[in-house]
Amino acid sequence: MEEDVMERPIVIDERRQEVVQELMRNVYMWMTGGLALTGVIAWIVANSPAILSFIYGSSVVLYGLLIGELLLVIGLSMFIEKMRFGVAAIMYTIYCVVNGATLSSIFLVYEIASIAEIFFVTSGAFAVLAIIGSFTKKDLSRLGTFLIFALAGLIIASIVGMILGRPESIWMSAIGVLIFAGLTVYDAQKIRQLMLNEETINEGNMKLALLGALSLYLDFINILLRLLSLFGKRK
Protein backbone atom coordinates (compact mmCIF):
# COMPACT_ATOMS: atom_id res chain seq x y z
CA MET A 1 0.00 0.00 0.00
CA GLU A 2 2.78 2.43 0.95
CA GLU A 3 4.64 1.62 -2.28
CA ASP A 4 1.53 2.52 -4.34
CA VAL A 5 1.19 5.88 -2.59
CA MET A 6 4.86 6.67 -3.16
CA GLU A 7 4.72 5.73 -6.83
CA ARG A 8 1.56 7.63 -7.72
CA PRO A 9 3.09 11.17 -8.03
CA ILE A 10 5.84 9.80 -10.29
CA VAL A 11 3.25 8.26 -12.62
CA ILE A 12 1.35 11.56 -12.79
CA ASP A 13 4.55 13.51 -13.49
CA GLU A 14 5.55 11.13 -16.26
CA ARG A 15 2.08 11.32 -17.81
CA ARG A 16 2.10 15.10 -17.72
CA GLN A 17 5.57 15.18 -19.26
CA GLU A 18 4.33 13.00 -22.13
CA VAL A 19 1.38 15.35 -22.64
CA VAL A 20 3.68 18.40 -22.65
CA GLN A 21 6.03 16.77 -25.16
CA GLU A 22 3.13 15.83 -27.44
CA LEU A 23 1.65 19.32 -27.31
CA MET A 24 5.03 20.95 -27.97
CA ARG A 25 5.49 18.62 -30.95
CA ASN A 26 2.15 19.88 -32.22
CA VAL A 27 3.24 23.50 -31.75
CA TYR A 28 6.35 23.05 -33.87
CA MET A 29 4.61 20.77 -36.35
CA TRP A 30 1.97 23.41 -37.05
CA MET A 31 4.59 26.16 -37.20
CA THR A 32 6.83 24.21 -39.59
CA GLY A 33 3.88 23.15 -41.73
CA GLY A 34 2.68 26.74 -41.92
CA LEU A 35 6.11 28.01 -42.97
CA ALA A 36 6.42 25.29 -45.61
CA LEU A 37 2.95 26.12 -47.00
CA THR A 38 3.77 29.83 -47.07
CA GLY A 39 7.02 29.16 -48.90
CA VAL A 40 5.37 26.94 -51.52
CA ILE A 41 2.56 29.44 -52.17
CA ALA A 42 5.05 32.32 -52.41
CA TRP A 43 7.10 30.37 -54.96
CA ILE A 44 4.03 29.45 -57.03
CA VAL A 45 2.73 33.02 -57.07
CA ALA A 46 6.16 34.46 -57.90
CA ASN A 47 6.32 32.19 -60.96
CA SER A 48 2.81 33.00 -62.19
CA PRO A 49 2.64 36.34 -64.06
CA ALA A 50 -1.16 36.18 -64.07
CA ILE A 51 -1.45 35.84 -60.27
CA LEU A 52 1.26 38.46 -59.70
CA SER A 53 -0.60 40.87 -61.95
CA PHE A 54 -3.85 40.17 -60.11
CA ILE A 55 -2.31 40.80 -56.67
CA TYR A 56 0.12 43.62 -57.35
CA GLY A 57 -1.70 45.18 -60.29
CA SER A 58 -4.43 46.43 -57.99
CA SER A 59 -3.90 48.17 -54.68
CA VAL A 60 -7.42 47.09 -53.69
CA VAL A 61 -6.51 43.40 -53.97
CA LEU A 62 -3.14 43.79 -52.24
CA TYR A 63 -4.48 45.83 -49.33
CA GLY A 64 -7.50 43.56 -49.15
CA LEU A 65 -5.19 40.56 -48.66
CA LEU A 66 -3.12 42.43 -46.05
CA ILE A 67 -6.24 43.45 -44.13
CA GLY A 68 -7.53 39.87 -44.42
CA GLU A 69 -4.29 38.58 -42.87
CA LEU A 70 -4.62 41.02 -39.99
CA LEU A 71 -8.24 40.03 -39.37
CA LEU A 72 -7.34 36.33 -39.39
CA VAL A 73 -4.60 36.85 -36.79
CA ILE A 74 -6.88 38.98 -34.61
CA GLY A 75 -9.72 36.48 -34.98
CA LEU A 76 -7.54 33.54 -33.99
CA SER A 77 -5.91 35.39 -31.11
CA MET A 78 -9.13 36.73 -29.60
CA PHE A 79 -11.78 34.12 -30.38
CA ILE A 80 -9.97 30.78 -30.68
CA GLU A 81 -11.40 29.57 -27.36
CA LYS A 82 -14.92 29.80 -28.79
CA MET A 83 -14.02 28.01 -32.04
CA ARG A 84 -13.87 24.35 -32.87
CA PHE A 85 -10.32 23.17 -33.43
CA GLY A 86 -11.10 22.36 -37.07
CA VAL A 87 -12.28 25.92 -37.73
CA ALA A 88 -9.17 27.37 -36.05
CA ALA A 89 -6.94 25.05 -38.10
CA ILE A 90 -8.64 26.14 -41.34
CA MET A 91 -8.19 29.82 -40.42
CA TYR A 92 -4.51 29.22 -39.66
CA THR A 93 -4.05 27.43 -42.98
CA ILE A 94 -5.81 30.21 -44.89
CA TYR A 95 -3.59 32.76 -43.17
CA CYS A 96 -0.44 30.88 -44.22
CA VAL A 97 -1.70 30.72 -47.82
CA VAL A 98 -2.59 34.43 -47.98
CA ASN A 99 0.71 35.36 -46.34
CA GLY A 100 2.53 33.28 -48.94
CA ALA A 101 0.77 35.21 -51.69
CA THR A 102 1.73 38.59 -50.25
CA LEU A 103 5.31 37.48 -49.54
CA SER A 104 5.84 36.27 -53.10
CA SER A 105 7.51 39.60 -53.89
CA ILE A 106 10.69 38.53 -52.06
CA PHE A 107 11.41 36.12 -54.93
CA LEU A 108 11.21 39.06 -57.32
CA VAL A 109 13.41 41.34 -55.22
CA TYR A 110 16.11 38.99 -53.88
CA GLU A 111 18.27 36.28 -55.44
CA ILE A 112 17.08 32.75 -54.68
CA ALA A 113 20.48 31.73 -53.31
CA SER A 114 20.39 34.69 -50.93
CA ILE A 115 16.87 33.81 -49.76
CA ALA A 116 17.92 30.21 -49.14
CA GLU A 117 21.04 31.26 -47.26
CA ILE A 118 19.21 33.68 -44.97
CA PHE A 119 16.39 31.17 -44.46
CA PHE A 120 18.86 28.61 -43.08
CA VAL A 121 20.55 31.27 -40.93
CA THR A 122 17.14 32.28 -39.57
CA SER A 123 16.22 28.64 -38.93
CA GLY A 124 19.40 28.00 -36.95
CA ALA A 125 19.09 31.19 -34.90
CA PHE A 126 15.39 30.56 -34.30
CA ALA A 127 16.05 27.02 -33.05
CA VAL A 128 18.65 28.30 -30.57
CA LEU A 129 16.33 31.07 -29.34
CA ALA A 130 13.39 28.68 -28.95
CA ILE A 131 15.52 26.20 -26.98
CA ILE A 132 16.73 28.99 -24.69
CA GLY A 133 13.15 30.14 -24.11
CA SER A 134 11.89 26.61 -23.48
CA PHE A 135 14.47 25.70 -20.88
CA THR A 136 15.54 28.91 -19.16
CA LYS A 137 14.31 29.19 -15.57
CA LYS A 138 14.45 32.98 -15.54
CA ASP A 139 11.06 34.71 -15.59
CA LEU A 140 10.82 36.59 -18.91
CA SER A 141 7.43 38.23 -18.34
CA ARG A 142 8.94 41.71 -17.85
CA LEU A 143 11.04 41.28 -20.97
CA GLY A 144 7.92 40.24 -22.87
CA THR A 145 6.03 43.35 -21.77
CA PHE A 146 8.92 45.59 -22.83
CA LEU A 147 9.21 43.86 -26.21
CA ILE A 148 5.48 44.17 -26.90
CA PHE A 149 5.65 47.93 -26.29
CA ALA A 150 8.79 48.13 -28.44
CA LEU A 151 6.98 46.24 -31.20
CA ALA A 152 4.04 48.64 -31.00
CA GLY A 153 6.48 51.53 -31.45
CA LEU A 154 8.10 49.80 -34.42
CA ILE A 155 4.72 49.20 -36.06
CA ILE A 156 3.71 52.86 -35.60
CA ALA A 157 7.04 54.01 -37.05
CA SER A 158 6.58 51.65 -40.02
CA ILE A 159 3.06 52.94 -40.69
CA VAL A 160 4.25 56.54 -40.57
CA GLY A 161 7.07 55.61 -42.95
CA MET A 162 4.60 54.02 -45.38
CA ILE A 163 2.39 57.12 -45.31
CA LEU A 164 5.39 59.35 -46.00
CA GLY A 165 6.67 56.97 -48.68
CA ARG A 166 9.85 56.10 -46.81
CA PRO A 167 11.14 52.51 -46.80
CA GLU A 168 12.11 50.86 -43.53
CA SER A 169 15.59 52.04 -42.57
CA ILE A 170 18.54 49.78 -41.79
CA TRP A 171 18.30 50.75 -38.13
CA MET A 172 14.61 49.86 -37.97
CA SER A 173 15.31 46.49 -39.58
CA ALA A 174 18.09 45.80 -37.07
CA ILE A 175 15.87 46.80 -34.16
CA GLY A 176 13.13 44.60 -35.59
CA VAL A 177 15.46 41.60 -35.62
CA LEU A 178 16.31 42.18 -31.95
CA ILE A 179 12.66 42.62 -30.97
CA PHE A 180 11.48 39.44 -32.69
CA ALA A 181 14.49 37.47 -31.46
CA GLY A 182 13.51 38.46 -27.94
CA LEU A 183 9.85 37.64 -28.61
CA THR A 184 10.88 34.19 -29.84
CA VAL A 185 12.54 33.46 -26.50
CA TYR A 186 9.59 34.92 -24.59
CA ASP A 187 6.92 33.12 -26.64
CA ALA A 188 8.75 29.78 -26.39
CA GLN A 189 8.85 30.09 -22.58
CA LYS A 190 5.22 31.22 -22.35
CA ILE A 191 3.99 28.36 -24.54
CA ARG A 192 5.87 25.73 -22.57
CA GLN A 193 4.67 27.15 -19.25
CA LEU A 194 1.07 26.98 -20.45
CA MET A 195 1.55 23.39 -21.58
CA LEU A 196 2.97 22.37 -18.19
CA ASN A 197 -0.48 22.94 -16.70
CA GLU A 198 -2.07 20.34 -18.99
CA GLU A 199 -2.57 16.75 -17.82
CA THR A 200 -4.46 15.35 -20.81
CA ILE A 201 -4.65 16.15 -24.51
CA ASN A 202 -7.98 17.67 -25.48
CA GLU A 203 -9.43 20.11 -28.00
CA GLY A 204 -8.76 23.06 -25.70
CA ASN A 205 -5.03 22.59 -25.42
CA MET A 206 -4.76 21.56 -29.08
CA LYS A 207 -6.13 25.02 -29.91
CA LEU A 208 -3.60 26.44 -27.47
CA ALA A 209 -0.85 24.63 -29.36
CA LEU A 210 -2.12 26.06 -32.65
CA LEU A 211 -2.12 29.58 -31.22
CA GLY A 212 1.43 29.02 -29.97
CA ALA A 213 2.44 27.89 -33.45
CA LEU A 214 0.99 31.10 -34.90
CA SER A 215 3.03 33.23 -32.47
CA LEU A 216 6.28 31.45 -33.34
CA TYR A 217 5.42 31.49 -37.06
CA LEU A 218 5.06 35.29 -36.92
CA ASP A 219 8.35 35.62 -35.01
CA PHE A 220 10.17 33.52 -37.62
CA ILE A 221 8.72 35.35 -40.63
CA ASN A 222 9.54 38.77 -39.19
CA ILE A 223 13.13 37.79 -38.39
CA LEU A 224 13.55 36.35 -41.90
CA LEU A 225 12.16 39.44 -43.65
CA ARG A 226 14.32 41.84 -41.66
CA LEU A 227 17.47 39.79 -42.18
CA LEU A 228 16.69 39.79 -45.90
CA SER A 229 16.32 43.56 -45.75
CA LEU A 230 19.72 43.83 -44.03
CA PHE A 231 21.77 41.19 -45.83
CA GLY A 232 19.78 39.93 -48.82
CA LYS A 233 21.34 40.24 -52.28
CA ARG A 234 18.95 42.04 -54.59
CA LYS A 235 18.48 41.09 -58.22
Side-chain angles (χ1 to χ4, degrees):
M1 185 68 176
E2 291 182 1
E3 289 182 0
D4 291 342
V5 173
M6 293 295 290
E7 288 176 1
R8 228 170 267 161
I10 297 175
V11 173
I12 293 173
D13 287 346
E14 288 179 352
R15 185 181 304 148
R16 178 174 293 180
Q17 188 63 29
E18 289 176 0
V19 169
V20 171
Q21 289 175 354
E22 180 63 25
L23 289 172
M24 292 305 294
R25 276 196 293 269
N26 275 277
V27 169
Y28 289 103
M29 179 189 73
W30 278 104
M31 187 204 80
T32 304
L35 289 172
L37 180 60
T38 295
V40 169
I41 295 299
W43 174 254
I44 291 172
V45 172
N47 286 276
S48 172
I51 301 177
L52 281 174
S53 177
F54 175 72
I55 294 174
Y56 293 101
S58 169
S59 58
V60 174
V61 174
L62 178 59
Y63 284 108
L65 290 174
L66 294 173
I67 293 170
E69 287 183 54
L70 181 61
L71 292 176
L72 284 167
V73 171
I74 293 173
L76 279 170
S77 301
M78 296 183 65
F79 305 111
I80 193 170
E81 291 183 3
K82 299 179 181 179
M83 301 177 190
R84 286 183 170 274
F85 176 74
V87 174
I90 290 171
M91 287 181 65
Y92 174 78
T93 303
I94 292 173
Y95 172 77
C96 293
V97 170
V98 176
N99 200 33
T102 57
L103 290 179
S104 58
S105 59
I106 66 172
F107 288 101
L108 305 179
V109 175
Y110 300 100
E111 295 180 2
I112 294 178
S114 182
I115 294 173
E117 180 181 355
I118 292 176
F119 174 82
F120 286 117
V121 169
T122 303
S123 299
F126 183 89
V128 172
L129 293 168
I131 290 171
I132 292 172
S134 296
F135 294 102
T136 184
K137 295 182 179 179
K138 186 175 181 179
D139 183 9
L140 300 177
S141 55
R142 288 185 180 179
L143 173 64
T145 302
F146 169 78
L147 290 171
I148 290 169
F149 278 108
L151 176 60
L154 183 66
I155 291 172
I156 292 170
S158 298
I159 292 172
V160 172
M162 288 176 61
I163 294 173
L164 298 177
R166 297 174 183 172
E168 187 171 271
S169 68
I170 293 176
W171 287 109
M172 285 180 64
S173 294
I175 291 170
V177 170
L178 294 176
I179 290 174
F180 283 103
L183 283 173
T184 298
V185 177
Y186 169 70
D187 287 336
Q189 183 185 72
K190 182 177 69 174
I191 293 165
R192 187 168 181 83
Q193 286 176 340
L194 289 172
M195 298 309 180
L196 287 172
N197 296 322
E198 305 296 329
E199 295 185 9
T200 60
I201 293 179
N202 52 54
E203 185 174 11
N205 52 40
M206 286 294 289
K207 290 189 290 185
L208 194 64
L210 183 62
L211 193 58
L214 176 61
S215 296
L216 294 175
Y217 169 99
L218 291 171
D219 293 337
F220 185 99
I221 289 291
N222 278 281
I223 293 173
L224 174 66
L225 291 178
R226 283 166 173 80
L227 286 179
L228 271 173
S229 176
L230 289 169
F231 304 111
K233 295 180 180 179
R234 295 175 177 267
K235 290 185 175 180

